[in-house]
């Protein structure tokens, strides 16, 4: 299955030096990514890559920018967000290492596996966007919506408030 945002780069096009690549999602690709990531809006999605080979595979560094709106976790209202994320990725051939053989060190970077003779910069950008999004977007009305639903604030729901209820029961 082809990803929503497909920008393949053939491995044999990446020479000894550095290769630069700019990608941008079109309207249809952004619409499909909105569905995948449950976004209310995706007005732009662009990424600039600098690709180079190293002993293990291909290293991609760059910057991703996007304009999105997610639904508020409490009210469902749109929560606009500007994403501006620097990234470093390592592309490795599928099956080149076992999952437990990937060692993390001070220079650790996200690893993406590929099959065939190309890497997909569009899918890498989509996954980078997903990781950069606020996991709990809140609108200015979130507190009000939570209160109306009966959700207590952390300080109200702490262990002492539960003991306060017990104290009232013991007085009876």
């Amino acid at each position: 299955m082809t990803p929503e945002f497909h920008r393949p780069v053939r491995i044999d096009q990446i020479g000894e030096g550095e290769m630069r690549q700019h990608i941008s999602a079109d309207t249809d690709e952004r619409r499909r990514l909105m569905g995948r990531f449950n976004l209310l809006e995706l007005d732009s999605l662009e990424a600039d890559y600098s690709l180079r080979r190293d002993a293990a595979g291909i290293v991609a560094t760059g910057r991703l920018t996007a304009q999105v709106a997610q639904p508020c976790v409490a009210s469902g209202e749109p929560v606009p967000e500007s994403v501006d994320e620097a990234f470093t990725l390592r592309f490795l051939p599928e099956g080149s290492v076992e999952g437990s053989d990937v060692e993390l060190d001070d220079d650790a970077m996200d690893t993406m596996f590929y099959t065939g003779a190309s890497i997909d910069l569009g899918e890498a950008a989509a996954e980078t966007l997903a990781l950069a999004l606020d996991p709990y977007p809140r609108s200015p009305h979130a507190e009000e919506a939570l209160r109306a639903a009966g959700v207590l604030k952390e300080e109200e729901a702490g262990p002492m408030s539960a003991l306060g209820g017990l104290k009232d029961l013991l007085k009876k």
Side-chain angles (χ1 to χ4, degrees):
M1 184 175 118
T2 302
E4 299 89 346
F5 184 27
H6 187 57
R7 293 294 185 282
V9 171
R10 287 189 3 227
I11 303 294
D12 62 2
Q13 291 179 324
I14 304 169
E16 292 300 315
E18 190 174 83
M19 177 183 180
R20 295 193 177 273
Q21 204 66 42
H22 174 82
I23 63 172
S24 179
D26 66 27
T27 303
D28 187 54
E29 291 164 332
R30 291 193 315 267
R31 180 189 52 76
R32 289 184 286 150
L33 287 168
M34 285 171 54
R36 176 176 171 187
F37 298 130
N38 191 33
L39 299 172
L40 300 175
E41 297 174 24
L42 179 54
D43 294 333
S44 67
L45 173 59
E46 297 186 5
D48 288 301
Y49 287 90
S50 177
L51 305 167
R52 66 176 170 78
R53 292 178 179 269
D54 74 358
I58 297 167
V59 175
T61 57
R63 181 163 299 281
L64 174 122
T65 59
Q67 295 296 318
V68 305
Q70 298 184 79
C72 172
V73 295
S75 68
E77 296 174 305
V79 179
E81 182 178 355
S82 291
V83 177
D84 187 351
E85 187 77 15
F87 59 83
T88 302
L89 305 170
R90 180 179 305 281
F91 290 91
L92 297 174
E94 189 74 46
S96 61
V97 293
E98 295 298 320
S100 61
D101 289 346
V102 177
E103 292 184 27
L104 298 178
D105 57 17
D106 291 340
D107 296 328
M109 58 188 86
D110 290 331
T111 301
M112 296 193 70
F113 294 97
Y114 66 91
T115 57
S118 64
I119 58 175
D120 190 344
L121 299 183
E123 179 58 19
E127 290 183 20
T128 300
L129 172 64
L131 292 172
L133 293 172
D134 182 349
Y136 302 105
R138 289 179 170 241
S139 74
H141 303 109
E143 227 28 71
E144 181 182 312
L146 290 170
R147 176 86 47 214
V151 177
L152 300 176
K153 291 183 178 179
E154 188 174 335
E155 58 272 6
E156 296 171 333
M160 297 314 281
S161 67
L163 292 175
L166 179 62
K167 181 180 172 184
D168 292 340
L169 286 174
L170 291 173
K171 285 183 181 178
K172 291 182 179 182

